[in-house]
Amino acid sequence: MEKPWKYPLLVVVVVVVALLVPPAMLLLSLSTLPRINVDEADVNTPDKWIRRHPSMVRHTGKHPFNSEAPFDKLFAAGFLTPTSLFYVRNHGAVPYVDADRAANWRLRIHGLVEREVEFSIDDLKEKFQVVTLPVTLACAGNRRKEQNVVQKTLGFNWGPAVLSTALFTGVYLADVLKYVRPFRPMTNKHVIFEGADTDLPNGPYGTSQTLREASDIEKGIMIVWGMNGKALSPDHGFPLRTITPGRVGGRSVKWLTSIEVSDTESQHHLHFFDNRVLPTQVTAQQARDEKHWWYNKNSLLNDLNVNSAIAHPSHGEIVQLSKLLSLQTVASYDIRGYAYSGGGRRVTRVEISLDQGSSWKISDIVYPEDLYRMVAFESKFYGTLDLTERETSFCWCFWKYTASIEELSKSDAIIVRAMDEGLGIQPQDMYWTASGLMNNWWFRIAIHHEVKDDVDILRFEHPTLPGVTPGGWMERIKNAGLNPLRPEFGAPKQGNNHDAVSRRPLQEKCEPASMTDPEVNREKALFVVDGNVYDGTNFLEEHPGGADSIWLASGEADATEDFIAIHSDDARTKLKKFHIGRLQANEAESQGDDTTDAPPDDDPSASVVFLDRRKWKAARLVGVTGVSHDSFIYRFALESPEQPLGLPVGQHVFVRLRRKTTGEMVQRAYTPVSQQDEHGHIDLLIKLYLPCVAFPLGGKMTVGFHELLVGDTVEFKGPLGSFVWEGKGNVRWKDVPRSGIRHLGLICGGSGITPILQVLRSVLHDEDDSETRLYLLDANKTESDILCREELDTLYEQHGDKKAQTSGYAAAAGGGQVLLQRLKIHHTLSRPPPEWAFSTGRIDDGMLEALMPPPADDAMVLVCGPDGMINDAVKPGLERLGWDVSKALVVF
Ligand code: MTE
């Protein structure tokens, strides 16, 4: 059929740009795109070769790269998003593909097809019609932070800019499938796509579409190599990816290597454990524990749902009322934003309410995508750019409602909702889901009526700010003890006083007198989470993690990440009881997103020792050494080769890292195994609990260690712990000094050896201490699980009682034999080898009696291991043997 027009693409682009981007804005966006260098944040990551726009908001620390542009920048950039501002969702490292690898890139198409083939990118260009389509990609997680404020989901805090539009150039998947001829019938078959991601813990990224849909050219699924007139960028799938228009971004597979026609859907891990909406009653914890929710076919996401957001006014924007009202001509304000829907459905209506949903006004919509329907264009790079016969809508549209200033000045909130041609409409209520996806409830902006410098102003407040930046009316309402899911804006109404909070004067006047009350001289364990202040003083005794970790958090500018990283939802709920107030938001702080990157340490005194109780300090991984089949020593370099760690014997450190694959910050306490007199590094002995059939996710923290590469950093803080071995029988426990300890029982299970070894070494290496006697009982599953065996054997050679080693514990008790040497070591294994000289089975009273010193004023027992071992065997067993465990048993 004859095409209506044939104009060069340039004309289209000029028309589009002229219509959509005011010239001043264009200049601005060009001037804000400087030559981009590799961002400092990427320098020590596997992506260190990729240049990224510095203004992108990073959501998962430094790596992997998951980011969205600041909302105002994205919106100002117009219909086509510059590639550097295009949102990125990477589950792991970007595969390194240089020109050679790209030239040799092969796409394998196989499975239930008559003609299995392998295509290079040139083959695709030669064999099939090259086409270009404008497509908006949107991540299903767009606007997730709003869900996270209501209740934390499993995902990180995406804002409303997780969508972007580009001209994608490639071939239609439908054409390629026609060429390879899938076996008939087409029903009950799937087309599975796989990417080249190599470092994901559960295999490469992959997902599928049904064969019927994949073969439907109207669905527009493409295999693409071009984006905005250039090769794809590394972050967006260079050299080859799929684009699945109208569907959640997760269905567009990057770094595409394989397409398989199969009679089962994709079995890739992330086909099941991502891009699913679980029923709203399933909590995040349940979603973690109960896998069946993810395998339920009704939870699968494909088409995007209808959504919209307000970009103007932006968060914090101020309109000066009196000024505008005096200027009759400009007494109006253009409220503007975006809308999109899924499945090719067109957005048909965008409505604005200024009275909290009682009445709605129709906004004007522009569809830049329609401009491409007016022109058919062909060129060498783009192939055919022809939407003249396409009715599907695969792109976002822009809407505008011009409100009179008078109208605005009477309103307390601006609300937008969009509708699509299938009459899908954004709901008033949020559908919260544990996966934190498809959030599309009404987008609301609060309007604050304030006076600033004697001028009446309107200040606009968005629901949330992306990332960890605090702010927005949702948090404000929640922090005031009200329900953010039932927001009512404006003057306090009956039973609702949340706006009284927002109308509070910005600063209370205070007398410039003494800032402290002389009556108040007690130290309090105050700490800050999410801008809220908590008093943990009365919880110090009960805190399962020990008083010390509360003291560590107290006095920190912000303990949010520490708290979130380590506590369950249950613990978070308990926090409410200790809430005493809220900090005033600090603008300067709220600019930054990533709080994990501690600024360089300027205080010269701080570098005398590495550890700091008040501050997280980063240390770089310099080596990993295997010590058993599943345990490794991770060595991290301190700030200088001479620097001491600064860890008293008996104490430990907090270690935190951001999981590369999930983006989650995780934190645990560890006792380093580096020797007391070693300088310049810290060694951690890590027993890896990797994903397996019984524990599909593995250990959160140890999988995080497994993901580390040499050069990566983790952060340390400390020392912490209630016990210190000060040497020669002197200890400090719960801040009370004790002396004259002559007998130290040491009990450990598995990797619980680390704090025990630290004390053991310190006693035995202390030349001034010849009196302290040590009684070690080490419990493990198998002989190969015994950690640091060689060192224990050496110490035993030098200091041990040989009888105890060779004859099992009953004989080791010695029938009255006196221990002439200082060290007694005994092992027990639940699965011993055939010739095993030590004990078998779990720790019991017999072992405790035979192997520990008898209870006495000069004896103590230190224990570290699994809760079951401590609470079911060691504590009750020692009590039965006459120990007062409250005075003599230290649990690490
Ligand atoms: N493809 C691969 N190979 N690996 C990935 O991590 N992420 C998916 C999808 N394709 C992903 C992938 C998700 S969840 C989204 S939203 C889109 O890529 C994001 O595409 P973009 O980063 O180009 O914006």
Side-chain angles (χ1 to χ4, degrees):
M1 193 192 196
E2 268 294 302
K3 306 296 175 204
W5 292 284
K6 283 198 173 215
Y7 291 145
L9 181 75
L10 191 63
V11 176
V12 182
V13 172
V14 168
V15 170
V16 172
V17 167
L19 283 169
L20 295 172
V21 185
M25 227 174 244
L26 180 65
L27 283 178
L28 186 76
S29 63
L30 291 177
S31 66
T32 53
L33 290 177
R35 234 190 88 73
I36 301 170
N37 294 319
V38 172
D39 195 302
E40 223 172 83
D42 292 314
V43 168
N44 290 309
T45 74
D47 295 346
K48 53 177 170 271
W49 52 282
I50 303 175
R51 296 191 297 165
R52 290 163 170 157
H53 201 289
S55 69
M56 293 298 277
V57 180
R58 288 175 184 250
H59 287 289
T60 42
K62 293 179 179 171
H63 188 77
F65 188 58
N66 288 297
S67 69
E68 66 187 297
F71 190 14
D72 51 351
K73 269 205 167 69
L74 175 80
F75 195 72
F79 178 62
L80 294 179
T81 313
T83 303
S84 61
L85 294 179
F86 200 106
Y87 87 89
V88 178
R89 173 73 180 105
N90 292 340
H91 285 83
V94 175
Y96 179 76
V97 183
D98 58 13
D100 268 359
R101 190 171 169 204
N104 292 312
W105 196 265
R106 291 287 176 276
L107 171 64
R108 205 174 144 230
I109 306 171
H110 56 115
L112 303 178
V113 294
E114 285 177 26
R115 218 180 189 182
E116 289 204 339
V117 285
E118 234 184 48
F119 285 140
S120 68
I121 295 173
D122 281 344
D123 292 338
L124 291 171
K125 288 180 186 169
E126 270 165 31
K127 286 202 160 26
F128 305 101
Q129 184 197 13
V130 175
V131 287
T132 293
L133 287 186
V135 176
T136 296
L137 269 197
C139 178
N142 193 28
R143 299 182 58 195
R144 179 191 290 144
K145 175 120 182 223
E146 295 162 52
Q147 292 175 317
N148 274 347
V149 174
V150 172
Q151 200 184 334
K152 181 81 181 71
T153 70
L154 296 172
F156 47 85
N157 291 325
W158 285 123
V162 199
L163 74 169
S164 307
T165 306
L167 289 172
F168 288 103
T169 301
V171 295
Y172 279 124
L173 174 65
D175 288 345
V176 176
L177 287 172
K178 207 186 273 172
Y179 179 89
V180 297
R181 294 197 297 270
F183 297 146
R184 311 297 291 196
M186 284 177 93
T187 46
N188 293 326
K189 287 205 178 65
H190 304 263
V191 181
I192 303 173
F193 311 94
E194 186 173 288
D197 327 44
T198 50
D199 69 334
L200 306 185
N202 299 294
Y205 189 90
T207 184
S208 58
Q209 298 284 301
T210 63
L211 176 61
R212 281 210 80 85
E213 289 178 321
S215 308
D216 180 356
I217 211 152
E218 279 307 302
K219 296 270 175 202
I221 307 180
M222 301 165 83
I223 303 170
V224 311
W225 54 82
M227 179 173 182
N228 288 337
K230 290 186 171 167
L232 288 164
S233 74
D235 272 325
H236 298 294
F238 178 76
L240 202 64
R241 76 174 298 174
T242 61
I243 288 295
T244 307
R247 301 219 138 162
V248 297
R251 304 284 167 242
S252 295
V253 176
K254 302 192 272 192
W255 314 296
L256 181 72
T257 53
S258 154
I259 296 181
E260 180 189 356
V261 178
S262 164
D263 50 14
T264 53
E265 68 182 307
S266 155
Q267 296 298 302
H268 292 91
H269 182 78
L270 289 169
H271 178 71
F272 291 105
F273 291 96
D274 199 0
N275 288 305
R276 306 247 159 180
V277 167
L278 313 189
T280 192
Q281 73 275 10
V282 177
T283 64
Q285 193 55 45
Q286 262 179 295
R288 268 190 212 105
D289 297 342
E290 299 169 13
K291 304 290 169 255
H292 67 90
W293 297 112
W294 300 93
Y295 290 110
N296 186 321
K297 66 178 172 24
N298 296 327
S299 67
L300 183 80
L301 285 184
N302 266 319
D303 285 355
L304 288 160
N305 52 4
V306 62
N307 211 341
S308 66
I310 303 169
H312 286 290
S314 58
H315 178 79
E317 190 174 323
I318 283 174
V319 164
Q320 297 197 349
L321 273 187
S322 357
K323 209 170 176 184
L324 282 177
L325 286 173
S326 64
L327 295 173
Q328 293 300 319
T329 47
V330 281
S332 66
Y333 182 95
D334 286 346
I335 304 168
R336 295 193 294 140
Y338 70 71
Y340 62 89
S341 190
R345 288 180 294 278
R346 187 178 179 84
V347 170
T348 47
R349 192 173 294 157
V350 177
E351 295 166 301
I352 299 294
S353 175
L354 295 171
D355 56 9
Q356 311 204 32
S358 298
S359 65
W360 297 89
K361 331 233 173 213
I362 310 259
S363 76
D364 300 326
I365 309 179
V366 287
Y367 303 91
E369 185 181 8
D370 284 353
L371 296 171
Y372 292 89
R373 297 184 208 279
M374 298 159 66
V375 178
F377 169 74
E378 266 169 48
S379 87
K380 195 152 181 275
F381 184 88
Y382 293 96
T384 306
L385 199 176
D386 183 0
L387 271 64
T388 56
E389 288 179 17
R390 191 169 263 292
E391 286 176 347
T392 43
S393 290
F394 289 144
C395 294
W396 61 350
C397 60
F398 301 118
W399 53 265
K400 181 178 88 177
Y401 174 76
T402 304
S404 73
I405 288 295
E406 201 191 345
E407 213 178 353
L408 217 50
S409 68
K410 289 187 190 140
S411 171
D412 295 307
I414 309 173
I415 303 178
V416 64
R417 70 174 186 200
M419 181 190 268
D420 69 20
E421 62 186 328
L423 295 195
I425 187 162
Q426 284 178 253
Q428 177 170 6
D429 292 333
M430 175 187 285
Y431 192 88
W432 184 94
T433 177
S435 53
L437 298 174
M438 302 298 255
N439 179 34
N440 73 335
W441 69 328
W442 297 349
F443 190 94
R444 301 153 165 98
I445 287 185
I447 305 179
H448 297 270
H449 301 253
E450 293 169 356
V451 177
K452 196 177 173 202
D453 302 330
D454 287 335
V455 176
D456 287 333
I457 62 162
L458 300 179
R459 181 171 60 82
F460 300 97
E461 186 185 31
H462 276 225
T464 59
L465 296 182
V468 292
T469 308
W473 61 258
M474 290 191 73
E475 280 179 3
R476 175 172 56 82
I477 287 183
K478 190 175 179 188
N479 293 333
L482 291 154
N483 185 355
L485 289 174
R486 297 269 170 274
E488 279 184 42
F489 304 93
K493 300 187 177 73
Q494 250 189 344
N496 177 353
N497 65 353
H498 70 251
D499 217 55
V501 177
S502 68
R503 281 162 190 266
R504 184 181 60 192
L506 281 178
Q507 271 170 358
E508 315 272 25
K509 283 203 174 130
C510 60
E511 294 300 317
S514 162
M515 289 169 48
T516 53
D517 179 349
E519 301 282 305
V520 179
N521 57 9
R522 195 181 144 222
E523 277 199 340
K524 285 199 157 210
L526 303 180
F527 58 93
V528 176
V529 175
D530 276 341
N532 289 296
V533 184
Y534 298 85
D535 182 355
T537 317
N538 294 334
F539 192 54
L540 291 168
E541 290 285 306
E542 292 165 57
H543 186 223
D548 242 56
S549 49
I550 301 188
W551 281 120
L552 274 185
S554 102
E556 271 222 344
D558 185 2
T560 311
E561 287 225 336
D562 296 15
F563 183 85
I564 300 296
I566 210 164
H567 290 95
S568 64
D569 279 352
D570 217 29
R572 292 175 199 185
T573 319
K574 285 193 187 131
L575 202 60
K576 198 170 177 179
K577 213 161 68 189
F578 305 102
H579 189 193
I580 57 167
R582 172 142 185 82
L583 292 181
Q584 183 90 38
N586 172 338
E587 273 217 10
E589 274 170 21
S590 65
Q591 300 299 318
D593 182 7
D594 191 353
T595 56
T596 63
D597 300 325
D601 194 352
D602 295 333
D603 175 3
S605 67
S607 62
V608 174
V609 294
F610 173 73
L611 288 176
D612 188 325
R613 285 170 67 88
R614 299 262 181 247
K615 199 160 61 179
W616 285 104
K617 293 181 77 175
R620 197 169 305 295
L621 179 66
V622 290
V624 181
T625 316
V627 290
S628 79
H629 63 285
D630 59 0
S631 302
F632 298 83
I633 292 182
Y634 285 73
R635 171 163 290 189
F636 297 88
L638 306 186
E639 288 156 330
S640 73
E642 302 78 36
Q643 191 178 38
L645 179 61
L647 184 72
V649 177
Q651 300 245 295
H652 27 277
V653 295
F654 264 143
V655 183
R656 75 174 184 185
L657 55 77
R658 201 179 276 285
R659 286 278 307 272
K660 288 184 181 178
T661 41
T662 59
E664 202 180 353
M665 185 62 102
V666 265
Q667 174 180 328
R668 298 279 181 277
Y670 285 96
T671 310
V673 291
S674 26
Q675 307 259 7
Q676 207 63 24
D677 50 0
E678 285 178 52
H679 290 175
H681 56 256
I682 172 170
D683 289 344
L684 299 182
L685 174 60
I686 307 293
K687 188 173 166 78
L688 294 181
Y689 296 94
L690 297 181
C692 59
V693 180
F695 303 101
L697 298 180
K700 250 194 208 176
M701 184 79 182
T702 66
V703 171
F705 268 101
H706 191 53
E707 289 164 2
L708 291 179
L709 297 175
V710 168
D712 289 344
T713 55
V714 304
E715 292 175 302
F716 294 87
K717 189 158 71 167
L720 82 152
S722 60
F723 177 83
V724 179
W725 175 262
E726 292 180 331
K728 288 191 289 179
N730 298 316
V731 303
R732 177 173 287 276
W733 187 26
K734 297 182 183 162
D735 268 338
V736 181
R738 261 171 84 176
S739 55
I741 303 297
R742 295 279 173 269
H743 301 274
L744 265 188
L746 304 169
I747 304 177
C748 56
S751 54
I753 183 80
T754 52
I756 298 295
L757 187 65
Q758 187 203 27
V759 176
L760 194 100
R761 280 173 179 167
S762 152
V763 173
L764 297 174
H765 292 173
D766 184 352
E767 289 173 0
D768 295 334
D769 184 350
S770 57
E771 295 190 28
T772 312
R773 286 166 186 268
L774 301 157
Y775 307 72
L776 173 67
L777 172 54
D778 185 9
N780 286 285
K781 275 200 192 114
T782 65
E783 192 172 9
S784 63
D785 289 326
I786 302 177
L787 296 172
C788 308
R789 177 90 185 259
E790 226 171 275
E791 181 174 356
L792 291 176
D793 287 349
T794 311
L795 289 172
Y796 186 77
E797 276 300 313
Q798 294 160 355
H799 307 274
D801 163 28
K802 305 257 164 44
K803 279 206 176 310
Q805 194 182 22
T806 51
S807 44
Y809 79 81
Q817 270 187 42
V818 179
L819 285 173
L820 297 175
Q821 303 289 328
R822 315 176 53 200
L823 171 65
K824 198 165 150 181
I825 294 185
H826 196 85
H827 300 280
T828 182
L829 296 179
S830 46
R831 280 189 263 135
E835 303 287 306
W836 179 237
F838 295 96
S839 298
T840 299
R842 293 165 184 237
I843 293 175
D844 59 23
D845 289 8
M847 288 186 210
L848 294 175
E849 187 173 14
L851 301 166
M852 288 296 108
D857 285 347
D858 64 354
M860 287 185 93
V861 178
L862 316 182
V863 61
C864 184
D867 287 351
M869 181 189 98
I870 295 170
N871 295 325
D872 303 338
V874 176
K875 270 190 190 168
L878 290 177
E879 271 168 354
R880 283 190 287 268
L881 293 172
W883 288 83
D884 179 351
V885 295
S886 68
K887 297 215 175 79
L889 179 68
V890 179
V891 178
F892 285 129

